[in-house]
Structures are given as C-alpha cells and as structure tokens.
Amino acid sequence: MTLVLTLTEWLASLIAGGAIVISLAISVRLLTQRSGHRTANRILGLLLLVAAAAVLNELVVNVRPPQAGWSIVFLPLLYTFALGPLLYHYVGLMLGRTRALPWWHWAPPILQALLTVGVALAPATYQMAYMNQVYAPWYNTFEDLFFALSLGGYLVLSHRLLARAQTSERFAWERRTRVWLHRLVLGCALVFAVSTVFNVAGPLLYAWGEVNVYAYESVAFAENVAYSALLYWIALNGFMHTVPQMRELLQTAETPRKEHYNLNPDLVAMHVCALAQLVEHEQPHLNQDLTLPGLASQLGVTDKVLSYVLNEGMATTYTDYINGLRVEAAKARLTASDATHLTVLGIGLEAGFRSKATFNRAFKRATGLTPSAFRAAGRLSGS
C-alpha cells in the first residue's frame, strides 16, 4: 500500500508527529516520576497521553491512503471523553484536594474506551455495519457534541476551583503553581474552541448549507496544526512545572533582582520597631480586610519596602507574619474566661481570619493543635 502525501500533508505530519513524540515522552516521564506530587503527575501524564492519541487519530484520518478506506477510523486512539475529568481532577489535586472524583465522572470515558477498543477488535463486516448504521448516521456527531459539552463543563468547574483558590492565603503565595494551572486551563479552553469550530460548526455547515469544509486541504492542515501547537504548549509547560530539575531552573530564571530600597540595617531595624509599635497599639491584624499595601500605608512606607523589611528584618513573609499575630490573638481569646460564650469560629473571625478553613490551617500549623483541641486542653489544665 503506497502512501502519497502532498506538501501540506507532509508538513502536518511533521508538526503533529513532533508534538505526539514529545507529549508521549513527557507523559511517560510523569507516569514514572517518583518525586513531587505523584498522583497529580500521573493524572497529568494520562491527560497528555489521551491528548497525544487524539492528535495522532486526527493525523491518520486526514492523511490516510485511499486504499485504507474508512477502516482507519476505527484505530483505538480516541478517548477524548477523559480529557475533561482528567483536567478537573489534576487542578483539584494541585490545589490540595485529596478525595477522588465520584465514579460517574469516569463512566462516559470508560464507555467510550470500551466501544472504541471493541469496534477496533471486531471483524471487518461488523465494522462496516457499525459505520453504516451507527457511526456515520449519528454517533460521530454525538461524540463531537458530547466532547464539547464535557470539556466545556469541566473547564468551568476547573476555573471555579482556581477562582476560589485565589482567595486562599496559602495559595496566593504559590505563584508558579497558580500561573501553570491558569495556563493549563487556558490551553484546554483553546482546545475546546478549536474543537467546537472544526467538529461542531463543520457538520452544521454541511447539514444546513451542504458546505463541506473538509473538502479543502487547508482546513484539515489548519486543524492538525492547531491541535499540535496546543499539545506542544501544554506538554512543555507541564514538563517545566512538574519535573523537579526544570522547576528549579525555572525558579532561578524567575527570581528577580534583589532590591534593597536604600535600606541599611539600621533603617530596617527602625521599621521593625515601628511595625511592632503599630501592631501593639492599633492591632491592624484584627481587620479581616487588611492587605500588604494597607499595612504599608499605616506604617508610612511602600508595600515593597514593607515586604523587604519583613523578609530581611524578621525572616518572614507578610502572610506568615499576619497569620502569626492572628493565631496569638486567637490563643488568648480561646483561653480567656470572658470568651467562653464565643464559638471557636467566632473567635477566629474576631482574630481577623476570613474563614474557618484558613483559621484551622494557620492555627494547627503554628501550634500543632486545632483551635478546638487547644481550647479543650486549656480547660483541662485550668480545672
């Protein structure tokens, strides 16, 4: 069987082939990597594996030799229903969610995989009947529509997880993770857009106006290049942000030049003393809406100077410093005799924390106990 390709098909094959090889190599690395967040790395590796298989499927369908007919459609490469759940699960894992997704998230991908493999292993006569009675009449369109709806829905869910995490004090300081997850969701959103244009708009144009956009070689080339470019982007970004050696290299490259803001050690010590007096007399940390610029304004310096003073003069960060003050305020109230009528959450909010989760996390990190356990231990020691 001779395979004769046009120049456009050769270019598409080279571009897609490179993306597939790189993605497969990175996915194998992530699936076998023993350092870092192993579960999250495996989920990302599976996502890249599924995406690479989908691009390979698109490539072989578009450049298939005439002698192959439509049998090449049934190569067991298409598992696109898994992309949405894998993306959502990965984002959740990176944001600290430990529980697994409910089984029904994985039911459509499993059914698609069983059908894909079953048809691929079936005799040619069955494949022909399936093509004429199921795939061509309705399943191909259903598969594209369901993929668009599934990926679109999981993109919304992933975006909501990121939006909620943005308000988390813990997550706000993990800049590289935040940037990487936003890029991943953006890349998958572009996949959703390209898929919608080519796989949904194309059949609709043919059904309504009998315009077959796939009759144009440039359309198939554009689709291959778009998917391949997105696969390159996601795979390389994933490699840079999940492989330890690359994370260290990226961190070094992103480390900004250290500014001193014309602050000698004496001036730093003076600002530290002024900050201590401000905290003692004004107690700004009890304000839930306090921000770094707001505290800097009260101290009479810029936020960059305050950040430098905290880092160099007190060996801490703004978040750790404020949380430490709030934990100390909460500890005093939890053991105070005039605060027995207050709930633990009420004391946390009074101390300046915005939520129970943030309060519990910061308190346990500082004391090794939850606020409730700390209060109970104080009562036992006093009785």
Side-chain angles (χ1 to χ4, degrees):
M1 183 169 60
T2 304
L3 180 62
V4 179
L5 301 179
T6 65
L7 177 60
T8 302
E9 289 172 335
W10 271 114
L11 288 174
S13 301
L14 289 173
I15 295 171
I20 292 165
V21 170
I22 289 175
S23 298
L24 289 177
I26 294 175
S27 68
V28 170
R29 173 63 188 269
L30 292 173
L31 289 169
T32 57
Q33 185 171 304
R34 296 185 178 277
S35 57
H37 195 320
R38 295 176 65 179
T39 304
N41 288 341
R42 288 168 182 169
I43 294 297
L44 181 60
L46 288 174
L47 189 149
L48 286 174
L49 194 62
V50 171
V55 172
L56 178 59
N57 180 80
E58 198 70 33
L59 177 65
V60 297
V61 168
N62 286 332
V63 302
R64 70 187 187 278
Q67 302 94 325
W70 280 104
S71 61
I72 204 167
V73 172
F74 301 125
L75 288 175
L77 296 172
L78 212 55
Y79 309 100
T80 50
F81 292 179
L83 288 174
L86 287 172
L87 169 67
Y88 180 54
H89 192 31
Y90 176 73
V91 171
L93 288 170
M94 293 298 290
L95 296 180
R97 188 179 62 188
T98 57
R99 66 181 185 276
L101 292 184
W103 65 268
W104 49 267
H105 285 275
W106 306 107
I110 291 172
L111 291 175
Q112 184 192 34
L114 291 175
L115 180 62
T116 299
V117 174
V119 173
L121 298 177
T125 53
Y126 178 86
Q127 289 181 346
M128 184 59 65
Y130 173 78
M131 168 63 74
N132 294 330
Q133 299 174 23
V134 178
Y135 187 82
W138 63 272
Y139 181 75
N140 184 33
T141 303
F142 164 79
E143 191 172 44
D144 292 337
L145 286 171
F146 187 87
F147 167 65
L149 292 172
S150 172
L151 183 56
Y154 282 108
L155 280 169
V156 172
L157 292 175
S158 301
H159 177 73
R160 287 181 178 177
L161 281 181
L162 284 172
R164 285 199 297 267
Q166 290 283 57
T167 62
S168 165
E169 294 180 16
R170 177 190 70 83
F171 187 72
W173 291 95
E174 297 173 3
R175 179 180 178 276
R176 286 182 302 279
T177 299
R178 183 174 74 249
V179 170
W180 155 234
L181 292 178
H182 277 294
R183 286 178 178 174
L184 176 62
V185 172
L186 174 60
C188 291
L190 293 174
V191 171
F192 168 76
V194 172
S195 173
T196 301
V197 169
F198 286 104
N199 296 332
V200 177
L204 289 177
L205 285 174
Y206 184 77
W208 291 340
E210 296 186 356
V211 178
N212 185 9
V213 295
Y214 292 100
Y216 301 95
E217 186 179 2
S218 57
V219 172
F221 175 73
E223 186 176 14
N224 277 324
V225 170
Y227 286 134
S228 301
L230 290 169
L231 188 57
Y232 271 120
W233 186 43
I234 293 173
L236 293 176
N237 271 280
F239 181 69
M240 292 292 292
H241 287 83
T242 55
V243 175
Q245 295 87 339
M246 299 307 298
R247 280 181 62 88
E248 292 175 6
L249 179 63
L250 189 64
Q251 183 175 359
T252 302
E254 289 182 350
T255 301
R257 180 174 60 91
K258 193 171 185 179
E259 297 286 355
H260 293 276
Y261 306 106
N262 297 318
L263 294 176
N264 58 39
D266 291 336
L267 281 175
V268 171
M270 184 186 72
H271 284 310
V272 169
C273 182
L275 179 60
Q277 292 178 1
L278 174 68
V279 168
E280 180 181 357
H281 297 295
E282 302 294 335
Q283 296 186 316
H285 53 282
L286 300 183
N287 178 8
Q288 292 182 352
D289 297 322
L290 182 69
T291 61
L292 174 62
L295 182 60
S297 177
Q298 293 183 52
L299 192 62
V301 299
T302 67
D303 54 342
K304 291 182 178 179
V305 168
L306 176 56
S307 182
Y308 179 82
V309 168
L310 290 169
N311 293 338
E312 297 300 314
M314 304 178 70
T316 188
T317 64
Y318 168 77
T319 297
D320 289 342
Y321 177 66
I322 295 300
N323 278 348
L325 294 174
R326 288 170 174 169
V327 167
E328 289 303 316
K331 286 167 63 178
R333 294 296 284 160
L334 285 168
T335 55
S337 58
D338 63 343
T340 55
H341 64 287
L342 295 176
T343 64
V344 169
L345 177 58
I347 290 175
L349 298 177
E350 187 182 271
F353 290 100
R354 297 180 64 90
S355 68
K356 182 178 180 180
T358 304
F359 177 36
N360 286 340
R361 182 169 58 245
F363 196 95
K364 188 170 184 180
R365 180 180 178 185
T367 66
L369 297 172
T370 64
S372 298
F374 182 87
R375 180 181 238 183
R379 287 174 176 171
L380 287 174
S381 62
S383 58

